[in-house]
Amino acid sequence: MNSPHLPSPALPLYRRHRLRSAALAATVAALLLGTAGKAPAAPAPAGSPVAAECPAALTGKARCYTGRDENGAHYALAVPTRWNGSLVVHAHGGPDLGDASDPARSTEDLERWAVMVEEGYAWAGSSYRRGGYGTRMAAADTESARRVFVDRFGKPERTFVHGQSWGGNVAAKVAETYGTEPGAYDGVLLTNGVLGGGSRGYDYRVDLRVVYQHYCGNHPRPTEPRYPLWQGLRPGSTMTSTGLRARLRECTGFDADPAARTALQQRNLDDILAVTGVPERSLESHLRFATFTFRDIVTTRLDGRNPFSNQGVRYAGSHDDRALNAGVERFSADPAALRDLSWDSDLTGRVALPVLTLHAIEDPTAFVEHESAYRATLRGAGREHRLVQTFTRESEHSGLSDAEYANSIAALDRWARTGHRPTPRSLAASCAAFDRTYGTGCFYDPAFRPSPYASRVLPRPGGLGWPAMTAAQERAWGRIDGVGIAP
């Protein structure tokens, strides 16, 4: 259903907005109260949401729905009891690995970001139609969740797309791909986003994979079948995360008390961390990505072709850089594979919406320098004026302060509604009001500016200019049959 128009032209604009929102919320609440908790008379067709139990944090505060779209992607929807008339469409991170859509993922994300619903925003999030890499696929499934919501509840007054981690890449792709549709989206919120794109955003994990093997020599072991390290893991391998952890522990003692490490383990660990810049506490997770997700990208998504390169990279910071550079495995990307990964996940910067980012300065997974890559991408496309970036003195990747999330979506909403562009200082100042509700703290550092991406991730020859994929390249590549990564 659509928002009713209230004939009150004499009222101030803000008063009319509040009345329209209240009327729309009341209408939808009436619809929800009439259907929630009742099983449908017949199985719902694909794409039709059915009532579901809300996460505990939203009990009594919202009505929740789940369903599966025509592409097989599970989704979750929530409408607050006191709906402000606007919608947040969420793009989740990862990518998770697996063949099928995980119905739990979207409901878990709804619970994690329940703050959006508590602030009065409706919610729509997709689990994506399958696991594994595919940024455009994930963007299409995120857009599908928005369309399901609109079909069921009518067009919201405003719609914002939010993405965290790899979901930041997905949400930015949503903005570029679907954000030009009139009325589809009104703003973009990217939190701890992987914003360097696929063709450059994982170069430090390429470096980790080869540097680790140089020092450790156990992934693979000399007695095991050899394979090029850009594969991450050979096809058909039965290695598990537990097995990988055991090899990492064997080589570095990474999870042991430093006093319990051998001298060789400590030197291996020091060299790996110094050369790659990977934080010690996230070493295992980065190596998992450079193993299992690389295998997914190369073997499953790119038919065994290599999109990665470390030719021309000079590694430094070890106890013997000359030996490292002479002994580390080297390889060059297959141009077609690199093109396909780039077309799938790189960003052109051609966004027509307000974009607000929030990033922990000490994020151990998506380094804060990703924000420099994104600013350079928008600058290269002439769209830097659409971007406001904020940074916090936090050190976690998967979650930030609820007060900061609430503050960010409110500021983005005001920007979209009034055209008044916020600043890092205004956001730092406005957060305190939300912290009185959530008590999770406000950690903004308005003066912080991240260093260039190349200061953290060793650039490949020709890899200093942004955007990594221009709009002209995107158009040209898009005309090639079979380009990209299949859904």
Side-chain angles (χ1 to χ4, degrees):
M1 72 184 68
N2 295 318
S3 303
H5 297 284
L6 300 179
S8 49
L11 291 174
L13 287 176
Y14 79 91
R15 177 67 173 153
R16 277 181 271 159
H17 165 72
R18 291 180 61 188
L19 286 174
R20 283 198 302 270
S21 297
L24 180 57
T27 305
V28 171
L31 173 64
L32 296 175
L33 288 170
T35 59
K38 298 180 181 179
S48 178
V50 295
E53 185 176 354
C54 285
L58 295 177
T59 300
K61 301 177 182 179
R63 300 289 179 172
C64 298
Y65 290 80
T66 59
R68 198 170 191 182
D69 70 16
E70 60 185 8
N71 290 317
H74 289 276
Y75 59 81
L77 312 176
V79 180
T81 304
R82 297 181 178 180
W83 186 24
N84 64 13
S86 293
L87 170 68
V88 171
V89 183
H90 175 74
H92 78 68
D96 300 332
L97 299 180
D99 294 331
S101 179
D102 178 7
R105 181 61 198 250
S106 54
T107 55
E108 290 169 355
D109 282 345
L110 172 58
E111 183 173 23
R112 185 186 301 182
W113 283 281
V115 59
M116 302 292 188
V117 181
E118 293 189 26
E119 284 298 301
Y121 294 87
W123 168 277
S126 172
S127 292
Y128 311 149
R129 70 191 73 178
R130 60 158 173 79
Y133 204 82
T135 307
R136 286 184 185 267
M137 172 207 71
D141 292 343
T142 301
E143 165 65 3
S144 174
R146 182 192 72 85
R147 292 176 181 268
V148 168
F149 185 94
V150 171
D151 288 346
R152 182 66 174 83
F153 302 114
K155 186 177 182 301
E157 292 188 0
R158 283 175 297 280
T159 300
F160 306 98
V161 59
H162 167 243
Q164 177 138 334
S165 186
W166 179 59
N169 191 178
V170 175
K173 184 68 74 175
V174 168
E176 291 186 1
T177 306
Y178 306 102
T180 57
E181 179 182 333
Y185 295 94
D186 298 275
V188 187
L189 176 61
L190 309 175
T191 55
N192 281 359
V194 177
L195 302 175
S199 73
R200 300 179 188 175
Y202 307 123
D203 281 345
Y204 68 97
R205 285 169 170 156
V206 173
D207 296 335
L208 172 61
R209 188 69 181 84
V210 300
V211 170
Y212 175 87
Q213 182 64 8
H214 173 78
Y215 289 114
C216 298
N218 66 3
H219 186 27
R221 300 185 189 279
T223 57
E224 294 175 326
R226 309 294 292 177
Y227 56 87
L229 296 181
W230 49 260
Q231 287 184 343
L233 191 63
R234 65 181 175 86
S237 172
T238 58
M239 178 182 283
T240 64
S241 294
T242 300
L244 180 63
R245 182 182 306 118
R247 297 189 188 209
L248 178 59
R249 180 183 300 125
E250 170 191 295
C251 177
T252 68
F254 79 104
D255 56 354
D257 187 289
R261 295 172 187 150
T262 68
L264 180 58
Q265 285 177 327
Q266 188 63 61
R267 192 175 76 172
N268 288 339
L269 181 61
D270 289 344
D271 279 345
I272 291 168
L273 298 180
V275 173
T276 64
V278 170
E280 183 173 347
R281 64 192 174 104
S282 58
L283 175 59
E284 182 186 1
S285 65
H286 286 299
L287 188 59
R288 280 202 311 268
F289 193 105
T291 299
F292 301 109
T293 306
F294 274 20
R295 177 173 64 174
D296 174 76
I297 292 172
V298 170
T299 302
T300 307
R301 309 302 160 199
L302 294 174
D303 299 321
R305 296 172 297 145
N306 173 30
F308 303 123
S309 172
N310 68 340
Q311 290 290 354
V313 175
R314 170 74 183 173
Y315 296 108
S318 73
H319 75 279
D320 188 343
D321 290 346
R322 178 175 295 181
L324 171 62
N325 283 283
V328 75
E329 184 175 317
R330 301 280 182 176
F331 40 80
S332 297
D334 176 305
L338 178 59
R339 175 206 65 199
D340 286 353
L341 181 60
S342 180
W343 190 83
D344 178 77
S345 56
D346 282 344
L347 301 168
T348 67
R350 291 186 62 81
V351 61
L353 304 168
V355 183
L356 176 63
T357 74
L358 175 69
H359 213 119
I361 294 170
E362 298 298 330
D363 184 338
T365 301
F367 304 145
V368 72
E369 288 82 6
H370 274 272
E371 296 288 342
S372 295
Y374 192 56
R375 177 170 289 279
T377 295
L378 267 64
R379 183 186 302 124
R383 306 297 174 92
E384 189 177 8
H385 62 285
R386 300 194 182 278
L387 177 65
V388 172
Q389 294 176 303
T390 61
F391 303 94
T392 65
R393 295 180 301 278
E394 292 172 278
S395 57
E396 295 303 321
H397 172 68
S398 296
L400 298 167
S401 164
D402 277 356
E404 293 165 357
Y405 284 122
N407 185 43
S408 296
I409 193 64
L412 182 61
D413 196 337
R414 285 193 301 272
W415 187 5
R417 183 164 29 90
T418 68
H420 181 69
R421 188 172 183 262
T423 67
R425 292 195 180 281
S426 71
L427 279 150
S430 61
C431 184
F434 294 96
D435 197 41
R436 285 194 287 272
T437 298
Y438 295 102
T440 54
C442 297
F443 306 99
Y444 289 93
D445 185 345
F448 178 80
R449 297 293 182 272
S451 299
Y453 187 72
S455 70
R456 186 65 179 264
V457 181
L458 296 171
R460 277 54 182 160
L464 291 174
W466 299 90
M469 175 182 65
T470 66
Q473 285 175 316
E474 182 182 43
R475 288 192 298 271
W477 290 344
R479 291 191 288 267
I480 298 173
D481 186 41
V483 74
I485 291 174

